[in-house]
Amino acid sequence: MKDKDIESLNEIVSSGVNNVYTGASILIGKNQDILYKNTFGTKDEKERLTEEDIFDLASVTKVVGTATAVMRLIDEKQIKLEDKIGKFIEVSSPKSEVTIFELLTHTSGMQAYSNLWEEYRGEELLKYIINIQPQENAYKCYEYSCLNFITLMKIVEEVTQKNFKEYVEDIFKKIGMANTCFNPKNKDKAVSTSIREGKRLKGVVEDELAYSLGGVSGNAGLFSNASDLRIFIISLLNGEIVSKDTLDLFITTLVKRGENTTHIAWMAPPVAGCQYSLDSTGFGHNGFTGTSIWIRKDGLFSIFLTNSVYYDRFLKKPELNVIRNKINNIIFRKDH
């Protein structure tokens, strides 16, 4: 990368330290090459952030964890996109008729979220979530829903007969992602997020449903760092995790519903934080905690991890997206 671009990136990311997030980690790469990487600020306004420290990925879990597991099972011919939920899970109609494809593309008609975590925990909570029915008159429309990916987690467990955490983490271990996991044991390495019940979260998942499900969920829960996510992206593009045919199907399919366009599981630009730099041939995902990964088909990618929920869970989103856009505008310029 040009010195001028590196200078601009340092300035842009630094501008958010101690007001949008306490710390940020950024890594830009093209295939195997690292073009730029840096860390800024602290984990918690005190302790300096390092490259080894891990961030709560929030919804980036949906693509790194859940979609990867589903793609694996498609490769192994254990499931098909057109399979219906009822084939794997006992649930009443109309939800039993919803397909894997509709769950992955947020066209199932499921509501965006649920407050059932206020009343239930663990397996009981999962049972209630699985039994939530699609909204009336919303069927086949686009509504981004965490419940879709919690349902996918349950399907993965039923098909593999393995705990979701075990199945997904095994994929990571095999490609050398040593710092990526649910419920990290070494919480000292974790970057702090928001406050729950008067206590600052550190190494504990920020998402309420994932937390109430025991820290392991299909919608959120993974912790990781930029170095591991680089391994993930390179391995994914090289066909080492899933076949290139399956990946191509997921990242080239475009599903349009009204003003919304999505790939299968992966977001398709323009979306918040990646509004001007990539067209819909790019793919990636944002996370609620302030995380994001974006990939161009030629192998150029950006990983930007922050803890923007530290200062406020919602109010920092517009400022974060301005920073994200500025970063991606530099990285995905036509001459790169």
Side-chain angles (χ1 to χ4, degrees), residues 258-325:
E259 292 181 11
N260 296 290
T261 302
T262 185
H263 295 301
I264 302 177
W266 294 84
M267 290 177 169
V271 298
C274 196
Q275 283 161 295
Y276 317 108
S277 48
L278 280 174
D279 61 21
S280 59
T281 61
F283 59 102
H285 215 284
N286 291 329
F288 183 82
T289 46
T291 55
S292 60
I293 58 174
W294 289 101
I295 307 162
R296 200 166 70 185
K297 282 197 78 182
D298 64 355
L300 183 65
F301 61 87
S302 76
I303 300 164
F304 183 48
L305 308 176
T306 79
N307 61 340
S308 65
V309 291
Y310 185 94
Y311 292 113
D312 191 278
R313 292 192 77 206
F314 300 98
L315 294 181
K316 296 298 174 183
K317 293 284 178 279
E319 293 168 75
L320 177 67
N321 284 330
V322 168
I323 292 169
R324 282 169 165 170
N325 274 321

Side-chain angles (χ1 to χ4, degrees), residues 172-195:
F172 301 149
K173 277 179 200 148
K174 282 176 180 164
I175 57 170
M177 291 170 68
N179 300 291
T180 305
C181 62
F182 294 99
N183 289 329
K185 285 178 185 155
N186 185 357
K187 297 198 182 338
D188 289 340
K189 281 178 67 179
V191 177
S192 297
T193 56
S194 62
I195 291 170

Side-chain angles (χ1 to χ4, degrees), residues 179-245:
N179 300 291
T180 305
C181 62
F182 294 99
N183 289 329
K185 285 178 185 155
N186 185 357
K187 297 198 182 338
D188 289 340
K189 281 178 67 179
V191 177
S192 297
T193 56
S194 62
I195 291 170
R196 180 188 290 131
E197 294 169 358
K199 194 176 176 188
R200 179 70 68 185
L201 300 176
K202 186 177 173 67
V204 176
V205 65
E206 214 261 356
D207 180 87
E208 293 96 340
L209 283 175
Y211 172 74
S212 299
L213 286 166
V216 179
S217 184
N219 73 308
L222 279 177
F223 286 76
S224 189
N225 58 25
S227 298
D228 267 24
L229 291 174
R230 172 180 171 264
I231 294 170
F232 172 79
I233 291 167
I234 293 168
S235 303
L236 188 69
L237 295 177
N238 287 346
E240 293 167 32
I241 305 176
V242 300
S243 70
K244 288 190 177 183
D245 284 348

Side-chain angles (χ1 to χ4, degrees), residues 34-88:
I34 294 174
L35 306 180
Y36 166 79
K37 68 173 177 175
N38 208 346
T39 55
F40 300 80
T42 63
K43 294 195 278 193
D44 51 8
E45 295 185 299
K46 298 185 199 85
E47 196 182 341
R48 185 170 169 72
L49 181 68
T50 71
E51 281 181 23
E52 288 73 42
D53 293 325
I54 55 174
F55 289 79
D56 179 343
L57 295 186
S59 281
V60 175
T61 299
K62 289 181 172 78
V63 288
V64 174
T66 313
T68 300
V70 172
M71 286 192 281
R72 258 287 182 64
L73 296 177
I74 288 171
D75 268 349
E76 293 166 1
K77 298 192 167 30
Q78 295 202 62
I79 61 173
K80 299 193 288 287
L81 288 174
E82 60 270 26
D83 282 342
K84 294 175 179 177
I85 294 176
K87 181 177 177 180
F88 309 102

